[in-house]
Amino acid sequence: MRATFPDAQPPVGATPILSYEKVLEPGPEGGGVAPRLERGEAPSADADTVAGVVTAQPGERSRRALPSGRVTFVLTDIEGSTRLLRELEEGYAAILQSHKRLLRESFERYGGIEVGTEGDSMLVAFGDAAAAIAGCLAAQVAMRGHDWPPGAEIRVRIGVHTGEATPIDGDYVALAVHQVARISSGAHGDQVLVSAATAEAVAGKLPEGAELVDLGPFQLRSFPAPVRLYQLRHPDLMAAFPPLRAIGVVAHNLPLLRASFVGRVDERARLASVLRSTGVATIVGPAGVGKTRLAIEVGRDLLPEFADGVWFVDLASLADPALVARSVAGVLGAGEAGAESVEEQLIEVLANNPVLVILDNCEHVISAVAQLAERLTQSCPHLVVLATSREPLGIDGEAVFRIGPLATLETKGLPGADEIATVESVQLFVERAALAQPSFELTNDNAADVVAIIAHLNGIPLAIELAAAALAERSVTGVLRGLTHRFALLTGGRRTAPARHQTLRAALEWSLDLLDPAERVLFDRLAAFAGSGRMDATVAVCAGEPVEAGAIPAMLRHLTRASLLTADTESDRWSMLESIRELAAEELEASGELAQLIERHRSWFVDWTEQTESQLGLRGHGSLMDEVVRDHDNIRRALDSAISAQDAAAALRIGAAMAPFWMSHGDWTEGSRRLRAALDLDHGDPSLRARAQAACGNQLLLRGELNEAEALFARAQRAEATDDATRARALAGAGFVAFRRSQLDRAETSWERARHHAEIAGDDRVTAGLLRSLAIAAGTKGDQDRAGELIKHAIHLARAVEDHQL
């Protein structure tokens, strides 16, 4: 009789091709028939036959020889055993023993002989394929019915394969053993995977209620030919599982990349989802960020979803845009015929076929790729296109999937090696480092250097891989030191890799070759900035033949689209990775424009910092403080260049103008250090020096360095050309030195003199501050009436000038 199970439907797309036809035979000496396997119950130990298979009693293994000839092998292991060991710790040993006992009892009951056990894995040999299937069914039923402790449910995956094998000294040396291992590794917990060879051997002999569901052909690792696999189905077993861990055989030409793909877990899943919903997507990002590798991995993830294949088309070496369509046709096997164009042939081939086409490295032929992709996707409803490019295709329905470098860490307060090992950029470095230096391990001793290397490289995957490759010749510390000459060190790429991926410089120069001459000049000039800039500063510094001022905004947008810059639309700023900026700086120096651009940059920030000084802290100018924060590195760069060029006037002007910002942000150490360096330069303008001396004195006062602060305040007051505003600041600072020393009368006298000079200078903000200081002095002396009057006056002046910092 044939059993049917309407409540156990196969997965969509699966075809049950084998089902049970029970064989009713007398038992030994006319005894009964094999009993039916009841749901939720393992076959009884005293069952005589199942599907005509003679069973064995437990414990007989030692008295029976290993089968020879056509042998069916069963390999089991526990899914997630490492996690269970970690979570259960000491209790895992008892759980493991229970699992082995249940499996042994089930397999021995049907004549299985245990060949070997390693850890949680068990290899069992059967002389009869039907007995092997019955044993696997009994084993899974027993495992599912066992009362496991909470949190310790064991899920076993089982692979079954039949092949020629001869035992040698109690073991097997046979391809069938390796093949069953591959089949088992493709299964999920609670699942039994069966090869086509075994499926043929058990046709008509399956246990009652059992069937084998065809899952399709799969490519098993190390075996050249695909193998068709089946899932054992029964009402007492789980029916639904995720896709197999083995790689399904689908037509494709995806490159086989042996180095593991590290990171991008979330991006990988999101991009696959985007492709399913939109059908057209472009991975956009800067050089070396891993666009091609991500596309290949996503293509591999989606292989089972495209019956007619996933096809990779590398356009990097294509010089003629007119050949784009022919390159795609060459990969897909579509040729030009008759009067039809190549595009028409492609449409005919792809019109009704579910195909994923990956167009890699499109940036240098972007217009031709965009035209072809748009026409194909509009004409072929089942076609999905994934492109990689430095800039989007700009076609209808395109989803732009922009990726950046991997996350980096700060070396300050760094946790131990175990904690940082989960960071994707660190994982990439460690894995590639082990290829260059097999003994390499991430330890607490080298973790800081590894993190510093990755941070220095901005988390760019290509740069990280090249730095890791350098470990073949030097230590981790040596690699870190070598990165002071970044482009000289990072040249250790694979000889067989595309030229643009063999060095970091080549990868970046590939992007620059796509720019027009004016854009290339602008890109080089941007190196005058400290990695970012605002639009007005960029125009002022970079404009000039052949870069027209009015064209700069559009050119910056193009550089952003080409992934050479990152745009912050809210603040109207651009930024670039340090690796990219260094290349621009080398090119700018080679052009002979470096000194001129640095001087322009310095001049612009001298003027800008002086303009902002008087507005910082005023009501309605809160965003100005944020702008100074964003441009702090540019200001530092301008100040450093002034000191290097012995441009004392510029250094003193910037330092004095930045003093209020450093004071309000608590950057007193930086402020005093930079102002000291500026004051060490020779300069003949005593008024400017006095202004800087007063500013430096205030930074030192806040640091508690009272003696040096007092000396600077005194020198600022003695300068003949000192203006009243500077004299007021110097006297105010001297008053605070006295106040800190509990010399109240001296402090009050100094503040009164400062107030006098501030009023002459018309500086109501300084006057308001001095009135507050005098109020404190009066209150300290017990004169509350005077203190109250002074505070009212101070508040009135502060409101008049809209100073909300009082």
Side-chain angles (χ1 to χ4, degrees):
M1 63 181 180
R2 186 178 300 276
T4 59
F5 294 92
D7 60 327
Q9 298 299 317
V12 175
T15 306
I17 66 163
L18 298 173
S19 60
Y20 165 72
E21 187 161 332
K22 188 172 180 180
V23 179
L24 298 178
E25 294 183 353
E29 299 182 0
V33 297
R36 183 184 187 279
L37 184 66
E38 296 297 330
R39 182 170 301 199
E41 166 184 304
S44 64
D46 59 354
D48 294 315
T49 60
V50 172
V53 177
V54 178
T55 64
Q57 297 300 319
E60 293 185 359
R61 180 166 70 98
S62 62
R63 302 198 302 272
R64 291 178 286 127
L66 291 172
S68 181
R70 197 73 174 161
V71 180
T72 298
F73 292 101
V74 171
L75 185 70
T76 76
D77 76 341
I78 297 174
E79 183 178 59
S81 57
T82 302
R83 175 185 58 81
L84 286 169
L85 174 60
R86 185 173 59 251
E87 294 177 355
L88 300 176
E89 296 181 351
E90 295 180 359
Y92 180 73
I95 297 293
L96 185 61
Q97 289 305 312
S98 296
H99 140 268
K100 289 180 178 179
R101 176 180 56 80
L102 292 171
L103 294 184
R104 283 173 179 148
E105 290 176 355
S106 299
F107 293 139
E108 290 182 10
R109 188 178 308 139
Y110 293 98
I113 302 177
E114 185 177 336
V115 180
T117 302
E118 183 176 345
D120 60 89
S121 180
M122 181 182 297
L123 177 65
V124 182
F126 288 82
D128 185 276
I133 294 297
C136 292
L137 176 57
Q140 290 291 29
V141 171
M143 293 296 296
R144 295 191 69 196
H146 188 72
D147 185 18
W148 301 104
E153 291 79 6
I154 300 297
R155 302 182 67 208
V156 172
R157 53 190 179 188
I158 300 178
V160 188
H161 177 60
T162 302
E164 296 295 327
T166 301
I168 301 175
D169 297 329
D171 203 350
Y172 289 97
V173 179
L175 283 176
V177 174
H178 294 275
Q179 196 159 1
V180 76
R182 300 289 186 264
I183 294 171
S184 174
S185 67
H188 297 276
D190 292 332
Q191 190 175 33
V192 179
L193 286 185
V194 180
S195 72
T198 302
E200 292 173 4
V202 299
K205 302 177 186 178
L206 291 172
E208 184 177 1
E211 63 181 358
L212 294 179
V213 178
D214 187 356
L215 301 180
F218 287 82
Q219 188 72 54
L220 303 180
R221 184 164 55 88
S222 302
F223 287 86
V227 175
R228 187 168 290 275
L229 297 180
Y230 301 83
Q231 177 183 318
L232 176 62
R233 292 284 299 273
H234 187 276
D236 293 330
L237 300 184
M238 282 184 60
F241 295 94
L244 298 190
R245 302 172 192 273
I247 299 175
V249 175
V250 177
H252 73 87
N253 69 334
L254 294 174
L256 177 61
L257 304 173
R258 296 192 178 277
S260 62
F261 182 71
V262 179
R264 306 283 190 203
V265 176
D266 293 338
E267 291 102 322
R268 189 168 165 178
R270 286 204 315 272
L271 179 54
S273 178
V274 166
L275 279 173
R276 291 187 186 103
S277 61
T278 66
V280 185
T282 304
I283 305 174
V284 176
V289 81
K291 300 182 293 297
T292 297
R293 189 63 192 269
L294 177 60
I296 292 171
E297 295 304 319
V298 170
R300 204 173 297 281
D301 292 340
L302 296 177
L303 271 171
E305 302 181 26
F306 293 92
D308 289 296
V310 176
W311 303 100
F312 181 83
V313 184
D314 186 358
L315 301 173
S317 60
L318 201 64
D320 185 355
L323 297 178
V324 168
R326 188 173 296 279
S327 297
V328 177
V331 171
L332 294 174
E336 191 169 350
E340 291 185 334
S341 67
V342 177
E343 289 188 11
E344 289 168 341
Q345 283 289 305
L346 282 170
I347 292 171
E348 183 176 339
V349 169
L350 298 170
N352 299 306
N353 297 332
V355 172
L356 168 61
V357 175
I358 300 175
L359 302 174
D360 190 43
N361 293 295
C362 301
E363 48 274 331
H364 61 302
V365 285
I366 191 76
S367 297
V369 173
Q371 292 172 10
L372 177 65
E374 187 162 58
R375 185 176 181 196
L376 292 180
T377 54
Q378 289 177 351
S379 304
C380 308
H382 303 292
L383 172 65
V384 174
V385 172
L386 174 60
T388 74
S389 177
R390 306 287 164 83
E391 59 180 293
L393 300 184
I395 65 175
D396 180 52
E398 174 192 23
V400 178
F401 197 88
R402 192 172 292 275
I403 63 171
L406 299 175
T408 61
L409 297 172
E410 295 288 341
T411 54
K412 186 177 181 181
L414 190 71
D418 291 341
E419 288 82 0
I420 70 169
T422 59
V423 179
E424 291 181 344
S425 56
V426 176
Q427 289 176 348
L428 178 61
F429 183 91
V430 170
E431 288 206 15
R432 299 302 189 262
L435 297 178
Q437 188 185 108
S439 62
F440 177 83
E441 291 183 0
L442 182 68
T443 66
N444 290 333
D445 292 333
N446 64 24
D449 282 348
V450 169
V451 167
I453 289 170
I454 294 168
H456 198 75
L457 299 173
N458 302 121
I460 298 175
L462 174 61
I464 293 172
E465 294 192 10
L466 294 172
L471 288 176
E473 301 172 350
R474 60 182 75 196
S475 66
V476 176
T477 303
V479 171
L480 181 59
R481 291 194 187 115
L483 288 177
T484 55
H485 303 288
R486 185 185 319 236
F487 296 118
L489 175 70
L490 303 183
T491 57
R494 293 180 291 113
R495 290 187 179 91
T496 56
R500 65 187 185 281
H501 286 169
Q502 291 185 22
T503 69
L504 180 60
R505 174 185 287 279
L508 296 174
E509 287 179 341
W510 171 262
S511 295
L512 301 187
D513 290 342
L514 306 176
L515 304 178
D516 67 34
E519 289 170 341
R520 183 73 175 258
V521 171
L522 174 60
F523 171 79
D524 294 346
R525 290 176 180 176
L526 294 179
F529 289 82
S532 71
R534 42 190 286 158
M535 184 64 70
D536 51 356
T538 304
V539 172
V541 174
C542 298
E545 184 64 29
V547 179
E548 297 181 4
I552 287 179
M555 295 168 75
L556 289 175
R557 287 194 294 271
H558 187 208
L559 291 174
T560 300
R561 283 175 58 86
S563 299
L564 290 166
L565 304 179
T566 300
D568 184 346
T569 54
E570 292 185 2
S571 61
D572 198 23
R573 296 181 65 88
W574 57 266
S575 62
M576 64 168 62
L577 296 173
E578 182 60 20
S579 297
I580 296 176
R581 196 203 69 79
E582 284 190 17
L583 180 59
E586 288 191 10
E587 294 211 337
L588 181 61
E589 185 171 11
S591 72
E593 290 189 326
L594 180 61
Q596 178 187 3
L597 266 292
I598 287 178
E599 186 175 353
R600 283 191 201 173
H601 177 272
R602 180 166 69 244
S603 176
W604 193 89
F605 278 98
V606 166
D607 293 339
W608 186 72
T609 52
E610 287 184 331
Q611 291 169 14
T612 59
E613 178 192 10
S614 61
Q615 298 173 355
L616 288 177
L618 296 182
R619 194 179 307 279
H621 291 80
S623 61
L624 188 61
M625 184 70 77
D626 295 334
E627 198 61 50
V628 175
V629 171
R630 284 190 286 264
D631 261 320
H632 202 178
D633 284 341
N634 274 313
I635 295 167
R636 290 180 177 122
R637 184 174 178 81
L639 189 46
D640 288 341
S641 74
I643 292 171
S644 296
Q646 299 290 300
D647 186 348
L652 292 170
R653 289 171 66 187
I654 294 174
M658 282 294 291
F661 172 83
W662 287 325
M663 290 174 67
S664 64
H665 270 245
D667 299 332
W668 310 324
T669 299
E670 178 179 3
S672 58
R673 177 174 59 81
R674 291 186 175 280
L675 280 163
R676 280 167 169 163
L679 287 167
D680 286 341
L681 301 175
D682 292 330
H683 191 267
D685 184 346
S687 176
L688 184 54
R689 287 188 65 82
R691 182 177 164 217
Q693 286 166 342
C696 188
N698 278 316
Q699 308 292 317
L700 294 169
L701 172 64
L702 291 170
R703 281 176 47 81
E705 299 181 38
L706 301 184
N707 291 337
E708 187 176 353
E710 185 177 38
L712 284 169
F713 290 139
R715 286 199 289 272
Q717 292 177 58
R718 288 197 297 268
E720 295 180 1
T722 300
D723 56 59
D724 286 298
T726 300
R727 199 176 299 278
R729 289 184 173 90
L731 286 165
F736 276 107
V737 170
F739 188 79
R740 291 278 296 273
R741 291 171 172 165
S742 299
Q743 299 170 346
L744 188 57
D745 289 340
R746 184 178 175 185
E748 192 172 20
T749 299
S750 187
W751 286 335
E752 285 287 4
R753 291 178 59 200
R755 174 187 176 185
H756 170 72
H757 287 285
E759 288 174 344
I760 292 175
D763 193 335
D764 288 343
R765 293 185 71 186
V766 173
T767 301
L770 287 163
L771 289 170
R772 180 189 58 186
S773 299
L774 288 168
I776 293 172
T780 303
K781 289 183 174 182
D783 191 347
Q784 301 301 325
D785 291 339
R786 174 171 166 75
E789 289 299 320
L790 289 168
I791 283 293
K792 287 180 182 180
H793 191 185
I795 293 173
H796 173 74
L797 283 179
R799 286 176 175 171
V801 296
E802 297 185 328
D803 184 356
H804 66 278
Q805 291 186 320
L806 183 66

